[in-house]
Amino acid sequence: MLLPINNVLDKKTVEQFRTALDKTTWEDGKITAGGQAKQVKVNQQIQDQSDLAIELGNHILKVLGRHPQFLSAALPKKIFPPKFNRYNNADHYGPHVDNAIMHLPDHQIMRTDLSCTLFLSDPKEYDGGELVIETTYGAQQVKLAAGDLILYPSTSLHQVLKVTKGARVCSFFWLESMVRDNQQREMLYTLDQSIQTLTIERGADDNEVRHLTGIYHNLIRLWASS
Ligand SMILES: O=C(O)CCC(=O)C(=O)O
Ligand SMILES: [Fe+2]
């Protein structure tokens, strides 16, 4: 499932992020890529452990930590500290699959189940730069408004097309989910969203709402690892 989540950051916050990012130092994105990805990666990034990356990254994590739709869809166990990239002057990132295992700054490791891009440039600011994700239903092109985020399975082959005008600035990161299997996680998300709608329509004291909520939690018990 490719899931867009709108307005993760409001316009004012995006503006504050951009003011800081537009005047910071950017380095070659190849520095942090390995193997096959290094060969096809042509973009810029800011240093992962810089004060700015940590400050902005923590803000994103705080917002996501209380975002019901994100939490329901991702069921996150570990989230990689958000990174920041920029594509301009014909930058692009050729087709690749993200590494399965990532090393966290505290020397722990995590498995990547879901990949995220949080757009910090408005589509009007640049030409090209679509994130193209291969799915079982064909390639999907993603280009979202500034402040919106796309969540997609890390198992997917994906690429960022050449930016031919302007600049595409994003934050990107990965997460390990408590539910490893994409299909199980997607069913839990659909069930949870349906329960939320039903609860609004019928109230929390409704018999079916009670049963379905119980089933949701019991499926989590069966499928989640903490
Ligand atoms: O810029 C993006 O949207 C994705 C970047 C990416 O695929 C990566 O860094 O692995
Ligand atoms: Fe990637």
Side-chain angles (χ1 to χ4, degrees):
M1 179 174 57
L2 268 55
L3 184 73
I5 302 182
N6 300 326
N7 302 313
V8 168
L9 297 181
D10 58 40
K11 297 292 168 220
K12 193 167 152 251
T13 308
V14 170
E15 237 171 72
Q16 287 166 349
F17 271 45
R18 283 297 300 278
T19 304
L21 288 167
D22 288 351
K23 62 178 185 225
T24 198
T25 308
W26 291 82
E27 52 188 37
D28 189 343
K30 280 194 200 296
I31 294 169
T32 56
Q36 186 264 346
K38 201 183 192 100
Q39 312 295 313
V40 296
K41 186 175 185 184
V42 185
N43 70 358
Q44 296 177 301
Q45 280 176 211
I46 71 170
Q47 231 173 44
D48 289 343
Q49 287 307 301
S50 61
D51 290 347
L52 185 62
I54 291 170
E55 185 197 331
L56 302 185
N58 283 343
H59 185 91
I60 294 169
L61 293 178
K62 200 168 104 194
V63 171
L64 292 175
R66 49 178 191 231
H67 196 295
Q69 192 192 1
F70 172 81
L71 295 173
S72 171
L75 297 168
K77 178 152 80 175
K78 293 179 186 173
I79 307 185
F80 199 90
K83 293 152 85 76
F84 296 85
N85 64 17
R86 180 167 75 180
Y87 301 73
N88 55 21
N89 301 322
D91 286 347
H92 59 278
Y93 197 159
H96 66 281
V97 174
D98 296 333
N99 282 357
I101 299 293
M102 298 280 178
H103 295 262
L104 292 157
D106 62 3
H107 303 297
Q108 281 195 58
I109 59 167
M110 60 174 270
R111 185 187 63 238
T112 55
D113 294 320
L114 287 166
S115 302
C116 309
T117 292
L118 170 62
F119 290 80
L120 298 171
S121 295
D122 214 57
K124 287 195 292 287
E125 289 180 55
Y126 61 100
D127 288 346
E130 291 83 0
L131 173 61
V132 183
I133 304 164
E134 300 292 335
T135 75
T136 39
Y137 308 105
Q140 306 283 320
Q141 297 212 355
V142 181
K143 191 173 188 174
L144 301 179
D148 293 358
L149 174 145
I150 183 86
L151 202 57
Y152 60 100
S154 300
T155 46
S156 330
L157 188 68
H158 59 282
Q159 62 178 306
V160 176
L161 300 184
K162 194 179 280 185
V163 170
T164 53
K165 206 177 103 189
R168 173 193 191 269
V169 180
C170 290
S171 175
F172 65 103
F173 51 94
W174 302 272
L175 63 90
E176 179 175 324
S177 176
M178 288 184 283
V179 176
R180 177 182 194 158
D181 185 84
N182 286 324
Q183 213 180 348
Q184 289 176 340
R185 198 185 323 104
E186 284 171 30
M187 286 194 286
L188 288 169
Y189 175 65
T190 307
L191 179 58
D192 185 40
Q193 296 302 298
S194 303
I195 292 170
Q196 299 311 320
T197 308
L198 211 57
T199 307
I200 293 165
E201 284 171 17
R202 296 195 183 183
D205 207 22
D206 175 80
N207 208 30
E208 280 71 36
V209 166
R210 212 172 3 252
H211 284 309
L212 290 170
T213 305
I215 288 172
Y216 175 78
H217 289 294
N218 290 334
L219 285 173
I220 296 260
R221 246 173 223 107
L222 281 177
W223 292 340
S225 68
S226 52

